[in-house]
Amino acid sequence: MPAADVPFSRTEHGHYDVRRGAAGYAPIIGAFGALSVTAIVVVFTVPASRSAHSGLYLMLATGLLVVAMLGSLLGAIGLAAIGAEKVPTANLAGSVMYIGVPVGVSVAAILGAFEVLAALFLPASTQLFATIVAAGGAFGVIFVAFAIADSVSLGPADEQEHATWSRTKRWLKDRDEANRWSSIVAAVGVMPILVSTILRFAGVSARPTSVAANMLVGIGIGFTIVGTLASLLRSSHRSDHKQIELRKREAFMTTLAVGFYVALLMVFLP
């Protein structure tokens, strides 16, 4: 039998247990929430009279820290819910990618808050901190895209049934294809971050305003809530026990959501 026709075997090739991974990530992500709370308390003690923009900057920093806190707490809850699953069904691939949105937004928001504080206290280092925001956001996109590579291990528990079910899938039928699409989706998701970073260093950016600050906070909160709800719904158990594989549009939507949010930060951060 040609190598290309050999069905994927989780026993022979090994696999990543997304449930154990999610359970392990949950307390780590939750720690970001605790860090955000501490940072918010510190920001509230900062006097708002250092410069003409200090009030706006402190408002933006506080708002981004709140986004980070909410995203990390909801992300931790969603990851813990995935970790509590008894069976590694195919539905978990989409659930992991959706819950990756609040996690990625949380990382970008807390780094963005530090950049705003750097603009207030260390103006000469704003470009450095902006680069850190871009790097952290890119990691968030890649973190979400990793679920694509691991999705081939999910599905029916029985090996023979899993092999038969894999042949009916529209995509991600084997490990090589999953790894290839993981790289493609990650690259597409990082593209908005790369473009916004180049534009920022070229001097193309917008001065932060109260409207922009509210927009960044509102979009961040919206992404975290929608991503968490979508994750919970995606992993819900059907009465007919049907397993729904990861859809291609879900892969691109989740990674691009994180990528575009980071791109907005790169445009509007001071």
Side-chain angles (χ1 to χ4, degrees), residues 84-105:
E85 291 285 339
K86 279 191 172 184
V87 181
T89 64
N91 302 334
L92 295 183
S95 183
V96 168
M97 294 206 71
Y98 279 121
I99 203 60
V101 173
V103 173
V105 167

Side-chain angles (χ1 to χ4, degrees), residues 8 10-11 87-88 153-166 243:
F8 172 75
R10 290 174 291 186
T11 303
V87 181
S153 301
L154 300 171
D158 179 76
E159 281 293 323
Q160 187 61 41
E161 184 181 355
H162 184 276
T164 303
W165 173 78
S166 296
Q243 300 191 29

Side-chain angles (χ1 to χ4, degrees), residues 21-48:
Y25 281 127
I28 300 174
I29 301 303
F32 280 108
L35 175 62
S36 300
V37 172
T38 304
I40 291 171
V41 173
V42 172
V43 170
F44 280 155
T45 65
V46 175

Side-chain angles (χ1 to χ4, degrees), residues 38-154:
T38 304
I40 291 171
V41 173
V42 172
V43 170
F44 280 155
T45 65
V46 175
S49 59
R50 294 181 59 90
S51 70
H53 305 291
S54 60
L56 174 61
Y57 287 3
L58 290 177
M59 180 187 76
L60 177 56
T62 305
L64 290 176
L65 288 172
V66 170
V67 172
M69 178 185 67
L70 182 63
S72 60
L73 292 178
L74 292 181
I77 292 172
L79 288 170
I82 294 171
E85 291 285 339
K86 279 191 172 184
V87 181
T89 64
N91 302 334
L92 295 183
S95 183
V96 168
M97 294 206 71
Y98 279 121
I99 203 60
V101 173
V103 173
V105 167
S106 175
V107 172
I110 196 169
L111 293 176
F114 291 151
E115 194 275 348
V116 176
L117 294 176
L120 184 60
F121 294 99
L122 301 169
S125 65
T126 53
Q127 292 293 64
L128 172 62
F129 277 86
T131 303
I132 295 174
V133 173
F139 169 79
V141 170
I142 296 171
F143 176 83
V144 177
F146 275 160
I148 301 173
D150 300 323
S151 65
V152 292
S153 301
L154 300 171

